[in-house]
Amino acid sequence: MKFEVTILGSSSATPVYNRNPTAQLLNCNEKFYLIDCGEGTQQQLIKFGLKASKINYVFISHLHGDHYFGLIGLLSSMHLNGRIKPLYIFAPKAIQEILELQFKHSDTNLRYELVYFEIDATQPAIIFQNGDVTVETIVLNHRIPCTGFKFTEKKRLRKLIVEKLENDDVPLDLYPLLKRGVDLTLPNGNVLKNIDYTTDSAHPRSYAYCSDTLMDELYFDSIKNCDTLYHEATFLHEMLERAKETHHTTALQAAEVAKIVNAKKLLIGHFSSRYKTLVELLEEAKTVFENTELAIEGTTYQI
Amino acid sequence: MKFEVTILGSSSATPVYNRNPTAQLLNCNEKFYLIDCGEGTQQQLIKFGLKASKINYVFISHLHGDHYFGLIGLLSSMHLNGRIKPLYIFAPKAIQEILELQFKHSDTNLRYELVYFEIDATQPAIIFQNGDVTVETIVLNHRIPCTGFKFTEKKRLRKLIVEKLENDDVPLDLYPLLKRGVDLTLPNGNVLKNIDYTTDSAHPRSYAYCSDTLMDELYFDSIKNCDTLYHEATFLHEMLERAKETHHTTALQAAEVAKIVNAKKLLIGHFSSRYKTLVELLEEAKTVFENTELAIEGTTYQI
């Protein structure tokens, strides 16, 4: 199953040096989930050849503008481009009032339905599930209510050991039951033990997105053992005081988090406008957690 | 005096093919006036090396998103970048509610003052004057209340004929009065007739910005004899019915307007996303009004 994330914006606060405010597009089994939507997200989608029409779910971490000012424009363009299927928005409650006020004054009556799900930023919760993925909130520690999101693949069906099944003449119509892990007793009394005919499916991968936060053990449990951890790394560690003051994290701290929670891979982003180049942030993180990459706009990362 | 306009966005409705929604930056004597502010305007300013901090006045024609969705991000970035001087916003009344709602939910207390001037879209009016320029609204005919803006240079002082003044030993301290067009009687009874010592100053140039409108004689008087007319030209004339339906203008009609109002030059923009290239729109307009140019992003046009 495809499970990958494309970075649309990697800048914190203000756009600079061709870096745009935060947005990411998660592709999970060819279903598309937009995570945050800073100003210019729709232009970034066009630039990278990604279709806004394929997005059915939007997740907004918090209401600082660099994480959602692009949403009203994206939704308006979807309307103008003829969208009719519903769009599901998981966001802080006020998003509805903000969007509706602007639609009212532009006299826009959307042709499609916006379905709002209010996020409670006080405790982690499962907020969405379908056949592919479960989405849980991650309670972060920022200046305003803020949640990250953990996307976990659904556990896949067990894998059949086809050669053995064929050797033992197991009827084809029993395969689906075996995939589900069932032991079977045949009419002749023979027992087919599931463990003899199947192997466990691949480990369900997970992607944890921690947008804006102080480093805080508050959220470590929520992201334990994730495969890819995206964590903000706004500053170099020499700016730790500034990071604390603004409720952000340094590259070194992001790496410490990855190590503590036993992530397989770390992706850092949300870079301060003071950094024209990013190599120092990467090097700093790697001193603590080697398997770190920079979130580069237009790049797709396998989870 | 410098009097020029730089195009920041030339697209209608949705961004496409690297064309951004509408925004223009007018430089009048090194003071900067932002006209409309579609999504991504702040990114366009960065791209073209223009300083947002120099903008003191913002004019919003109407509340369709492609003309103002970039404003909240621009204002937020000004705040984050340390602005303390006031910013003056001329816009439909609801802009204040829209901006303040978003500042409230991001817990933003601007360090600088936003001064709002409500535009009445029912009749043309002078809405701003300083030593350089007068700004008047142009009442347009669109789906929601919409005004264009006419920027007219202040009449300059008369030009001194210095050689003659020196020949006749006219005291230097009288020069300023002569520049203002005054006739003077000297203590010895001699009369200095202004017309003998000065010539008329250059004709005050004007820039008329007609954002979104049906072609309608309603606004022709307001833009008569302007030096540069920016007029929307959303469609080719073969799409006239669609233009009427959406309250827009065709390239041919924009040229007709320029001809009727006796503009010196026509600049067309607000191109529909259906046009990947723009040459046909230009050619169509030129069949009626030869001195037409396309509004190209990043290009500065002298008025």
Side-chain angles (χ1 to χ4, degrees), chain B residues 82-96:
Chain B
R83 184 182 185 108
I84 50 168
K85 61 181 176 175
L87 185 78
Y88 301 90
I89 298 184
F90 300 80
K93 185 177 167 65
I95 201 89
Q96 184 169 357

Side-chain angles (χ1 to χ4, degrees), chain B residues 14-298:
Chain B
T14 63
V16 279
Y17 317 121
N18 286 321
R19 294 200 305 263
N20 274 263
T22 300
Q24 305 190 356
L25 187 66
L26 188 78
N27 176 347
C28 184
N29 199 22
E30 295 303 329
K31 295 191 184 75
F32 292 82
Y33 305 79
L34 182 66
I35 312 172
D36 280 341
C37 187
E39 181 179 358
T41 295
Q42 58 172 329
Q43 283 101 323
Q44 293 290 85
L45 288 167
I46 294 168
K47 182 172 171 188
F48 301 131
L50 302 165
K51 287 203 161 64
S53 59
K54 288 190 171 175
I55 297 168
N56 289 332
Y57 311 98
V58 178
F59 297 84
I60 301 294
S61 65
H62 66 302
L63 293 184
H64 279 154
D66 56 326
H67 293 257
Y68 88 93
F69 281 165
L71 186 58
I72 182 73
L74 178 67
L75 301 186
S76 299
S77 293
M78 285 174 167
H79 165 73
L80 291 164
N81 291 329
R83 184 182 185 108
I84 50 168
K85 61 181 176 175
L87 185 78
Y88 301 90
I89 298 184
F90 300 80
K93 185 177 167 65
I95 201 89
Q96 184 169 357
E97 184 188 359
I98 291 168
L99 296 174
E100 287 180 354
L101 180 66
Q102 293 179 86
F103 288 134
K104 182 180 92 178
H105 288 294
S106 62
D107 197 23
T108 301
N109 293 300
L110 291 185
R111 284 183 206 96
Y112 63 94
E113 192 186 0
L114 279 185
V115 186
Y116 294 95
F117 295 90
E118 179 188 341
I119 290 179
D120 171 5
T122 62
Q123 49 190 355
I126 294 175
I127 55 170
F128 177 76
Q129 287 195 69
N130 62 10
D132 304 313
V133 75
T134 300
V135 186
E136 293 160 271
T137 52
I138 305 162
V139 175
L140 301 173
N141 181 346
H142 198 42
R143 303 195 302 280
I144 60 173
C146 182
T147 59
F149 302 103
K150 189 169 117 182
F151 295 78
T152 308
E153 283 185 305
K154 278 291 171 72
K155 177 86 176 154
R156 302 277 105 186
L157 297 174
R158 294 180 67 80
K159 283 186 195 154
L160 299 175
I161 308 171
V162 178
E163 198 179 13
K164 189 165 163 56
L165 288 162
E166 288 176 351
N167 275 346
D168 294 357
D169 284 330
V170 176
L172 278 172
D173 57 354
L174 299 181
Y175 285 16
L177 290 167
L178 289 167
K179 279 186 175 178
R180 283 186 175 73
V182 179
D183 289 332
L184 297 169
T185 307
L186 301 181
N188 63 9
N190 284 352
V191 173
L192 301 182
K193 296 203 79 172
N194 193 283
I195 204 152
D196 295 334
Y197 293 96
T198 68
T199 55
D200 201 5
S201 58
H203 152 79
R205 294 163 294 181
S206 59
Y207 178 60
Y209 169 84
C210 296
S211 52
D212 284 21
T213 190
L214 268 178
M215 179 178 173
D216 188 331
E217 61 185 32
L218 163 77
Y219 60 88
F220 292 174
D221 271 351
S222 294
I223 60 176
K224 208 172 269 179
N225 301 318
C226 60
D227 290 84
T228 299
L229 169 63
Y230 167 86
H231 201 290
E232 71 123 303
T234 309
F235 300 105
L236 284 171
H237 204 65
E238 66 191 21
M239 299 287 293
L240 180 61
E241 284 314 305
R242 179 76 184 143
K244 284 182 179 167
E245 197 182 301
T246 56
H247 281 231
H248 284 301
T249 312
T250 68
L252 194 81
Q253 290 179 313
E256 282 168 355
V257 174
K259 198 172 172 185
I260 292 167
V261 305
N262 193 36
K264 288 204 182 63
K265 178 171 148 182
L266 172 65
L267 202 55
I268 55 172
H270 200 263
F271 310 116
S272 163
S273 62
R274 76 190 60 224
Y275 304 114
K276 198 155 188 173
T277 59
L278 305 171
V279 63
E280 280 185 89
L281 290 148
L282 179 63
E283 281 169 1
E284 180 174 290
K286 283 193 166 203
T287 61
V288 171
F289 191 84
E290 174 56 30
N291 194 14
T292 302
E293 286 191 66
L294 294 167
I296 300 294
E297 296 179 17

